[in-house]
Every structure is written in C-alpha cells, then in structure tokens.
Amino acid sequence: MNVYVLLAAAIAVEVTGTVSLKYTDGFTKLLPSALVIVSYGTAFYLMSRILKLGMPVGVVYAIWSAAGVALVALIGTLFLGERMNPTMILGLILVISGVVLLELGGEH
C-alpha cells in the first residue's frame, strides 16, 4: 500500500481522536473516550506501518503533526466556534511550509 495513503489515514484518525477529546468531559463519557483511545491506537499503528515501509521518521512525524495541527485548527474554526486570527493563520502557514521543506529535502 502507498505510504501516503497510510499517512493520510493516520492523520484522519488522529484528528478524529483529537477532536473527540473535546467531548470526553475529562474521560467521563464512554463513547467519545473510547473513540479517542481507538483513534490514537490506530494512528500509531498506521505510523508504525509507514516507518516499516521505509519512510523516514522525521518526515512522517513532521507531516503527521503539521497536518493534524492544521486540520484540528480548521475544524475548530469551522465547526466548534473557535476563533482564528491572522497571527494564528501565519503560524499554520509557517508550520506547513516547514513540512514541505522537510519533504523536499528528504531522501526517498
């Protein structure tokens, strides 16, 4: 399987878990709490598969974390009533730019 497909899946389940944290009420609500645990477990399993396929750990983690940050911020802004200001947008652009540079400089 393509490492980028696995990475996209890992990012999607990690973002699902992170957004679900908002609804756990300190891990007192069973369903969102279970979703967080299953999502993070699945994300780390998928990342281990990606690493086994030979993608460098620094590149995997950079893409995974930056995409997760950007997506969670976007979901928070669009669906959870959280605010985004120009400084935050610039920060996201810088994080994503850094990941692109890591990917361009990586050996594949």
Side-chain angles (χ1 to χ4, degrees), residues 4 54-56 59 102-108:
Y4 289 101
M55 191 174 211
V59 173
L102 278 172
E103 180 63 18
L104 291 174
E107 296 176 25
H108 296 290

Side-chain angles (χ1 to χ4, degrees), residues 61-74:
Y61 190 71
I63 295 170
W64 181 72
S65 59
V69 167
L71 288 170
V72 169
L74 185 63

Side-chain angles (χ1 to χ4, degrees), residues 11 14 60-73 92 94-100:
I11 292 164
E14 184 270 333
V60 172
Y61 190 71
I63 295 170
W64 181 72
S65 59
V69 167
L71 288 170
V72 169
L92 287 172
L94 290 172
V95 168
I96 293 167
S97 298
V99 170
V100 169

Side-chain angles (χ1 to χ4, degrees), residues 9-75:
I11 292 164
V13 293
E14 184 270 333
V15 168
T16 299
T18 300
V19 172
S20 298
L21 277 169
K22 184 169 179 76
Y23 301 102
T24 65
D25 195 25
F27 283 95
T28 60
K29 294 185 179 176
L30 180 62
L31 289 178
S33 298
L35 185 57
V36 168
I37 293 166
V38 169
S39 294
Y40 283 146
T42 302
F44 285 114
Y45 170 75
L46 290 171
M47 285 194 352
S48 74
R49 296 283 311 275
I50 295 162
L51 295 172
K52 186 175 182 179
L53 291 171
M55 191 174 211
V57 68
V59 173
V60 172
Y61 190 71
I63 295 170
W64 181 72
S65 59
V69 167
L71 288 170
V72 169
L74 185 63
I75 290 167

